[in-house]
Amino acid sequence: MTFPTFTLRDGNQIPSFGFGVFQIPADGSTKAAVAKALELGYRHIDTATAYFNEAEVGAAIQESGIPREEIWVTTKLWLQDYAYEDAKKGIDASLTKLGLDYVDLMLLHQPYGEVEQAWQALEEAQSAGKIKSIGVSNMTPKIYQKFVPNFKTKPVVNQVEFNPYFQQEELRQTMLEDGVAIEAWAPLGQGNADLFQEPVLQEIAERHHKNVGQVILRFEHQLGIIVFPKSTHDERIKSNIDIFDFALSNVEMDAIKALDKGKGSHDPDVPGVGEWLLNAFDVHAND
């Protein structure tokens, strides 16, 4: 099947639905999951340096037999590599691990430290053809206004936590004003049992003969959010993409909007988060 695409502010067409590989181990599991996703029709894969599985993503893509230009590949630069020269090396390291000449989208994974130097490196890599589109991740309205006005070019996406319990109202308005698309990490609430037990979601799912996860993903898609749920289970990988044969009514959309709690599991504005993340692990430990 062909997934709908959204047009980014740089004119590139991004598949609106993809496959994420966060926390999938690099023990063959990532390669197998990506291979299955590609087999089922996914054409958008989201990874990161800090996921430690770029090489398996690349291997699955190369062995798929699918033309490179038909697959949208996103990866992310870790804040350990934000100093300008380190960022240039980090970009090249991701390309090497992926085994690709270019990536479709590269993000600054976390908005701390030498953000402006890292952004300059992304801009230059984009000019050199190593990256098609560039963006950011985990930027709140406050962090966005701190950094982005100093960028020469604006990001095309901001990847943030997003699900029915945390609908990012303020951020969505800020991004709308700048023409920046929102991508959702944890679009299913990281399997939050309370979310999946919400009566309104269960009722809508039953009405459409779908499961709750499909209803959530359809809700986000209709809001214009780019999603990439992850799973290592073949049936779940298959069912997650089965959201394009039904639509939610305005009444149903409003009912799901009413679930918003205005708060997520991660607050990037909390003091010390950047330092904690920087010390969480070493992306060069196995170099």
Side-chain angles (χ1 to χ4, degrees), residues 3-284:
F3 292 120
T5 60
F6 294 151
T7 302
L8 300 176
R9 70 188 311 277
D10 60 6
N12 288 328
Q13 298 282 321
I14 186 170
S16 65
F17 199 101
F19 185 73
V21 298
F22 175 58
Q23 291 184 329
I24 302 182
D27 58 1
S29 301
T30 297
K31 182 180 176 183
V34 173
K36 174 54 69 173
L38 292 171
E39 177 189 323
L40 291 170
Y42 287 79
R43 292 295 182 267
H44 175 173
I45 309 297
D46 181 277
T47 184
T49 297
Y51 297 173
F52 297 97
N53 55 19
E54 288 173 306
E56 290 202 13
V57 168
I61 290 170
Q62 289 155 28
E63 294 177 19
S64 70
I66 300 167
R68 168 67 186 94
E69 63 272 14
E70 294 182 12
I71 304 175
W72 180 283
V73 181
T74 298
T75 193
K76 310 174 192 77
L77 189 69
W78 187 241
L79 74 168
Q80 182 181 344
D81 289 337
Y82 279 10
Y84 177 68
E85 292 297 333
D86 291 337
K88 291 198 294 184
K89 293 175 184 175
I91 292 165
D92 288 340
S94 282
L95 289 171
T96 297
K97 290 173 185 174
L98 286 161
L100 301 176
D101 295 327
Y102 70 92
V103 291
D104 298 273
L105 175 64
M106 186 171 284
L107 309 179
L108 298 185
H109 202 157
Q110 299 289 347
Y112 312 102
E114 302 295 345
V115 170
E116 291 173 37
Q117 290 187 38
W119 188 253
Q120 181 185 347
L122 288 191
E123 290 175 328
E124 292 175 3
Q126 183 181 33
S127 296
K130 296 178 179 180
I131 309 170
K132 299 292 186 182
S133 295
I134 54 178
V136 296
S137 185
N138 294 302
M139 280 197 175
T140 62
K142 178 180 177 181
I143 294 172
Y144 185 87
Q145 297 299 350
K146 174 183 177 181
F147 289 115
V148 175
N150 300 322
F151 292 174
K152 187 168 67 175
T153 56
K154 288 180 180 176
V156 297
V157 303
N158 183 10
Q159 185 179 126
V160 296
E161 181 180 6
F162 191 100
N163 62 73
Y165 279 169
F166 188 34
Q167 297 177 33
Q168 297 274 13
E169 282 291 334
E170 181 185 0
L171 180 69
R172 281 164 59 201
Q173 186 58 43
T174 301
M175 297 301 96
L176 182 63
E177 292 168 1
D178 269 7
V180 179
I182 290 180
E183 294 188 325
W185 62 255
L188 295 171
Q190 293 180 316
N192 185 321
D194 290 341
L195 178 62
F196 277 73
Q197 294 299 316
E198 284 287 350
V200 66
L201 293 175
Q202 293 183 334
E203 290 166 10
I204 293 172
E206 185 175 348
R207 188 178 307 133
H208 289 281
H209 306 290
K210 294 291 182 178
N211 61 47
V212 170
Q214 289 166 331
V215 169
I216 292 171
L217 294 170
R218 181 69 202 185
F219 167 74
E220 291 162 350
H221 175 74
Q222 287 185 214
L223 285 179
I225 307 298
I226 301 161
V227 299
F228 29 84
K230 74 117 189 221
S231 179
T232 55
H233 302 290
D234 291 359
E235 282 306 309
R236 185 60 57 81
I237 294 172
K238 184 177 181 179
S239 70
N240 281 342
I241 59 174
D242 190 19
I243 67 165
F244 298 105
D245 60 351
F246 77 108
L248 300 175
S249 69
N250 290 337
V251 171
E252 290 170 331
M253 290 290 290
D254 288 343
I256 300 174
K257 288 176 183 177
L259 297 175
D260 189 14
K261 298 179 182 296
K263 185 178 181 181
S265 63
H266 173 63
D267 184 355
D269 288 326
V270 170
V273 171
E275 291 79 3
W276 175 78
L277 287 168
L278 183 59
N279 293 310
F281 48 79
D282 178 4
V283 297
H284 299 301

